[in-house]
Amino acid sequence: MKKICLFVSVMLLSACFRAGSYDVLSQRNDIFTIWNGYRITYYNNEPQLLKTEVVEENNFNLNVAQTVYKGNSILSSKSYTRDYYSELFVKANKKGVLNSSSLPITISADKTYEVIGQITIEGKVYRLLPAAMEDYVTLIDAEGYFYNKMGQIRSGYVVLLDTEIFSYPADLRMIEVALSKTEETTAVKGFDVRYDGVKLDRVWFTYMDYDDVEAGTFKEISFPNKPGLITINDIGLRVLKADSEKITYMVISY
C-alpha cells in the first residue's frame, strides 16, 4: 500500500513540474481573453495616395530685362512629380470629459485622434481610439458617440472593463477629419543654366541637364563678352550687360 501511495505522489509531483514548464497560468489567461474579448480588426493607417501629377516649371520671362548675380540661375526648366496623400483621423465636436468612478478622461477639441481598428459587439461595429494609458482604448460607434465602457487590448482582443463611463456633455462625439500632405520628387527632367561670370573676355555659364544629373555631369559654355544675341538650349537671349559679378539679359524666344 505504501508503495502505491509513493508511486501516485511521484506521478503528481512529475505532473506539477511538467505543468510549470507549459505556463498553465498564461494559457488560462489566453482562454479567458478569447472567451470574454472581442477580436480586433486593425486598420492600415498608412497615408492613402489620392493622385499624382507632373509639374512643369520654368523661369522664362519673355521680353523682360533681368539681372542675375554670379552663381545664380538665368534659365531653369524642370519637371517633377507631386503626390497628394490623405490620412483619416477623428476629432471631438467640442471639448468634453468621459466620467467614471475613477479618474475622468479629458477629450480635447483641438486634438486629432488616430483610429487603430474596430471590434463588433452584439452585431454593432465600434472603432477603437488609444487612451492615455498604454493598451487601453475608448470605443466609438458609427456616429462617433462613445460606448459606455473602455477596453483593454490583450493578444489581439479587446476585453471590456467593468467600470462604466459617461460622456459630458451628452452630445459629445467624434467626427472624421481628413489631413492631407504632398510629396515632391527631385527634378526628373529639364535643365538649369547658371551665370559663372566673365573670364578671358568671355561670358561663362554652367549648364546642368537633369536627365543626366546622377552622372554628375556639368558643361561649361561661353560667348564673347559683348552685347548681342546668344542661344542656349534653343532659347534666345539678348545680353544687355555682363561683368564678373552679374549679368543683365532678356529672354526673347523659346
Side-chain angles (χ1 to χ4, degrees):
M1 183 69 179
K2 289 183 179 180
K3 291 183 178 180
I4 295 174
C5 292
L6 179 61
F7 175 75
V8 172
S9 298
V10 170
M11 293 299 293
L12 290 174
L13 184 60
S14 175
C16 289
F17 279 120
R18 292 183 64 202
S21 67
Y22 285 111
D23 192 1
V24 172
L25 183 59
S26 176
Q27 291 181 345
R28 288 178 179 175
N29 287 338
D30 289 342
I31 294 172
F32 172 84
T33 297
I34 295 173
W35 184 262
N36 294 279
Y38 301 88
R39 182 183 290 275
I40 302 171
T41 300
Y42 284 100
Y43 291 163
N44 175 13
N45 286 329
E46 293 295 321
Q48 301 299 307
L49 179 63
L50 298 179
K51 67 175 181 177
T52 298
E53 65 180 14
V54 177
V55 181
E56 297 184 359
E57 294 180 351
N58 66 62
N59 65 348
F60 307 158
N61 294 312
L62 197 62
N63 298 321
V64 176
Q66 301 177 85
T67 297
V68 170
Y69 284 84
K70 181 179 178 180
N72 293 317
S73 175
I74 67 164
L75 296 174
S76 176
S77 176
K78 60 183 179 180
S79 63
Y80 54 89
T81 59
R82 179 180 292 156
D83 296 330
Y84 294 84
Y85 293 90
S86 177
E87 295 180 83
L88 191 63
F89 295 87
V90 293
K91 185 177 181 180
N93 62 334
K94 61 182 66 178
K95 181 179 179 181
V97 177
L98 302 180
N99 289 309
S100 68
S101 58
S102 58
L103 292 176
I105 300 174
T106 301
I107 303 297
S108 172
D110 300 323
K111 181 181 177 181
T112 55
Y113 296 82
E114 180 184 15
V115 182
I116 63 172
Q118 68 180 46
I119 61 174
T120 302
I121 303 175
E122 297 180 354
K124 190 173 182 179
V125 174
Y126 292 89
R127 292 171 292 171
L128 310 176
L129 309 181
M133 297 177 293
E134 186 177 1
D135 295 332
Y136 284 84
V137 290
T138 55
L139 289 66
I140 58 173
D141 63 17
E143 287 74 40
Y145 291 100
F146 286 92
Y147 189 61
N148 64 349
K149 289 187 178 182
M150 289 182 60
Q152 183 182 12
I153 296 178
R154 300 180 188 174
S155 303
Y157 287 78
V158 169
V159 177
L160 297 179
L161 307 183
D162 293 332
T163 303
E164 288 195 70
I165 59 175
F166 303 92
S167 301
Y168 178 84
D171 61 346
L172 176 67
R173 69 186 188 96
M174 308 299 284
I175 55 178
E176 292 184 353
V177 291
L179 302 182
S180 60
K181 68 173 184 177
T182 60
E183 291 184 358
E184 297 177 352
T185 64
T186 55
V188 294
K189 186 178 180 181
F191 64 91
D192 185 70
V193 180
R194 300 193 177 190
Y195 183 56
D196 206 22
V198 174
K199 293 176 287 184
L200 302 176
D201 203 29
R202 295 182 69 86
V203 181
W204 289 83
F205 304 92
T206 300
Y207 179 94
M208 181 180 71
D209 191 341
Y210 289 130
D211 295 341
D212 197 29
V213 68
E214 291 186 358
T217 56
F218 296 85
K219 182 169 63 175
E220 290 187 333
I221 53 180
S222 67
F223 301 89
N225 183 18
K226 61 181 181 179
L229 299 177
I230 62 174
T231 301
I232 301 177
N233 208 25
D234 296 327
I235 300 172
L237 303 176
R238 182 182 298 278
V239 177
L240 303 178
K241 184 179 180 181
D243 57 35
S244 59
E245 295 183 357
K246 62 184 181 294
I247 183 173
T248 301
Y249 67 99
M250 181 183 297
V251 177
I252 60 174
S253 66
Y254 63 87

